[in-house]
Amino acid sequence: CFCHSPGFCRLVSPTDLMGAVCSCTQDQHELVVVEKHLEAQVLEVTLSETSTSTGTPSDEDGSHSVVVPENEEEDVLESDVLDGCSLGYSRSAASVSVAETSSEAVRNALVTLHQNLEEGDFIGAKVHLQDELKGLRERADDDLHEEAIILSSPLVKHLEDELRLFRKVGQKCCGKHSADSFCIHSDTSGSQAIHGCFDPHNPRVFHYHLRMVFPLNLAHVFSLAFEDELAPLWNSSLSRAPEVVEKEHGFKTVISSQVSALLGLLKLDFLDATQRFVDIEGGMLVEYIRTVAEGEDSYRPPMKGFKRTENDVKSVWAACGTEKTLLLQAGTVKLPIPVTRWLATSVGSLVGRHIITSMVKTAQRVSQPGNPFEKALEEDAYGIYARLRKCVESSSSRERASSSSLQKADLERFLGVRSSSRIPAT
């Protein structure tokens, strides 16, 4: 009972959080009550969208429609992460000529960097570049000149921008939630919790932080988020199988999906672009998801009858030894209907525990022989699972496994000074 497109989690849609049909039956009566309340809200918003923008009464009895503020941003959520960063490798950087350099060593270094950037592995690109620079210093007489040529390349500038995005996304996930946040769901141990707050300027926008600990291997857990084509096997709310619009080496993807709930009253369309960063030394994967904006190459309008829902989701998936994974997530979602405190707390508490339970159970199934994810894990078409297994084996992962509590400070040290976006010169 959780979806490919992110609401309170990478695998959770706003539909589920708002009381979509759930396969669990423990609180079936409560879900029915929630759905009836939501149906009324959806109908109220529908009426408001067909009424005049002046906010005049929509019915003769004097009732008023919900009026959206005139300054509401309708198309794109304002990202608090990008701040000038691009998402994914810019093809403009690929046009940089490396043949003009006089040194073969410099030319080879830039060609290798160009290839690494095209693969989308920016953390790996930084490691390889640092090795190249170290080699130049050790064997070249005019190493400072050659190093300066490399560091002044637009390719390096683009790499620094991407590393800045990696750091900002990770820091956002490790940061504290706002003072006006309230608890939506928490288990008795506190290892699984969702906190959220309202946007002060838009009643349809909701901000949240999520923390989950899976008693499973990082590669197995992350396969739920990565294998989009297998989503219909465990997600009944999808109207059809998600369409992979773009998938470059597994690090950059664009996925289109549609969700229908409340007997078709709520029909949501998602077009999500994702950039992933695998930090093997830090034992973690950092992921940034946002809605593709109109005008971008991969943009397509929402499917007829569906309404585009906008996401801005940042996640850190951290390996904690071979049998534990920590997920930290911070995101913003814009829904077709206003979000109220009752809606967030009642539905979030009810559906949240079902979502978390279902996620853990599905991930446990991935570890069993003959599961539907087994072939994808073995083939590892993009090599991403091999990298995640290295994350699991890293010293950072082992340190977290031996810790009595999983603290954000452990991750922050890999997202601060050590992971500076700047490629240092000699």
Side-chain angles (χ1 to χ4, degrees):
C1 56
F2 50 101
C3 164
H4 151 76
S5 299
F8 276 72
C9 171
R10 171 68 178 92
L11 305 175
V12 183
S13 74
T15 305
D16 297 301
L17 292 163
M18 294 164 56
V21 177
C22 178
S23 58
C24 306
T25 58
Q26 179 179 353
D27 298 298
Q28 184 175 1
H29 175 69
E30 293 179 68
L31 284 171
V32 170
V33 173
V34 168
E35 289 186 4
K36 289 183 180 297
H37 180 84
L38 288 169
E39 287 177 12
Q41 282 200 344
V42 172
L43 288 174
E44 184 178 10
V45 171
T46 301
L47 289 174
S48 71
E49 292 177 343
T50 58
S51 64
T52 62
S53 59
T54 59
T56 55
S58 58
D59 297 302
E60 294 182 357
D61 61 0
S63 61
H64 286 70
S65 301
V66 176
V67 179
V68 180
E70 293 181 358
N71 61 350
E72 176 182 340
E73 189 67 34
E74 285 294 339
D75 297 322
V76 182
L77 288 176
E78 181 181 357
S79 172
D80 55 0
V81 174
L82 281 179
D83 189 25
C85 296
S86 58
L87 180 62
Y89 178 54
S90 170
R91 286 293 177 255
S92 62
S95 63
V96 176
S97 173
V98 296
E100 297 175 358
T101 58
S102 57
S103 167
E104 183 178 355
V106 172
R107 184 164 58 251
N108 290 338
L110 291 179
V111 167
T112 300
L113 176 59
H114 176 255
Q115 293 171 344
N116 290 334
L117 291 178
E118 282 198 318
E119 292 178 0
D121 184 6
F122 302 113
I123 302 298
K126 178 182 179 180
V127 173
H128 287 123
L129 178 59
Q130 289 175 327
D131 289 342
E132 293 280 358
L133 294 175
K134 181 180 179 181
L136 284 175
R137 296 170 194 145
E138 292 176 348
R139 66 177 178 268
D141 295 332
D142 192 16
D143 56 293
L144 291 179
H145 174 67
E146 293 187 327
E147 184 175 341
I149 293 175
I150 294 174
L151 293 177
S152 63
S153 167
L155 293 173
V156 174
K157 175 60 169 64
H158 186 85
L159 175 59
E160 291 174 345
D161 287 343
E162 296 296 347
L163 293 174
R164 183 159 58 98
L165 173 62
F166 158 76
R167 193 176 67 255
K168 284 195 171 186
V169 170
Q171 289 175 347
K172 183 68 175 179
C173 293
C174 294
K176 297 180 180 179
H177 42 77
S178 62
D180 56 348
S181 293
F182 52 90
C183 181
I184 296 172
H185 171 76
S186 179
D187 64 356
T188 54
S189 65
S191 61
Q192 299 173 345
I194 304 172
H195 289 81
C197 66
F198 304 106
D199 188 280
H201 307 294
N202 192 333
R204 300 187 185 189
V205 174
F206 194 76
H207 309 280
Y208 64 90
H209 274 78
L210 175 144
R211 184 182 191 274
M212 285 188 64
V213 177
F214 295 87
L216 297 159
N217 182 284
L218 172 61
H220 290 164
V221 172
F222 189 70
S223 65
L224 273 70
F226 189 66
E227 301 300 332
D228 299 282
E229 299 90 339
L230 296 177
L233 296 177
W234 47 266
N235 182 8
S236 59
S237 64
L238 286 169
S239 298
R240 60 171 187 153
E243 179 184 354
V244 179
V245 180
E246 184 179 339
K247 201 162 192 173
E248 297 183 10
H249 303 278
F251 289 94
K252 180 184 177 183
T253 64
V254 177
I255 306 296
S256 171
S257 62
Q258 291 75 37
V259 172
S260 179
L262 299 177
L263 301 177
L265 284 174
L266 194 61
K267 303 178 75 172
L268 308 178
D269 181 281
F270 298 88
L271 185 62
D272 295 327
T274 302
Q275 176 65 58
R276 301 182 176 98
F277 306 84
V278 180
D279 186 345
I280 294 176
E281 184 181 352
M284 61 183 169
L285 181 146
V286 173
E287 185 178 51
Y288 177 50
I289 306 166
R290 64 160 176 82
T291 300
V292 176
E294 188 172 357
E296 296 186 49
D297 292 340
S298 53
Y299 175 81
R300 57 179 61 183
M303 182 176 290
K304 185 178 181 180
F306 289 79
K307 188 174 182 63
R308 178 63 46 81
T309 299
E310 299 171 22
N311 298 300
D312 188 284
V313 184
K314 311 101 187 170
S315 305
V316 172
W317 306 73
C320 308
T322 59
E323 298 179 355
K324 190 178 293 184
T325 298
L326 171 66
L327 170 61
L328 298 177
Q329 192 171 90
T332 298
V333 60
K334 181 179 179 181
L335 301 173
I337 65 174
V339 184
T340 64
R341 189 181 182 93
W342 177 90
L343 185 65
T345 54
S346 299
V347 178
S349 178
L350 173 62
V351 181
R353 62 175 176 267
H354 291 304
I355 291 171
I356 291 174
T357 300
S358 297
M359 289 180 69
V360 173
K361 287 183 177 179
T362 304
Q364 288 174 332
R365 185 185 178 192
V366 174
S367 63
Q368 299 172 358
N371 72 84
F373 295 83
E374 186 175 45
K375 182 178 179 181
L377 284 164
E378 290 178 352
E379 292 181 351
D380 195 9
Y382 302 97
I384 199 162
Y385 295 124
R387 288 178 171 87
L388 294 181
R389 294 185 184 102
K390 290 181 179 179
C391 288
V392 172
E393 298 167 359
S394 68
S395 59
S396 302
S397 171
R398 293 195 297 271
E399 288 176 10
R400 287 191 286 268
S402 61
S403 175
S404 58
S405 62
L406 300 176
Q407 301 294 329
K408 294 179 181 180
D410 174 75
L411 299 175
E412 289 174 341
R413 65 189 176 102
F414 294 100
L415 300 164
V417 177
R418 190 197 68 84
S419 64
S420 172
S421 60
R422 187 67 184 165
I423 307 298
T426 302

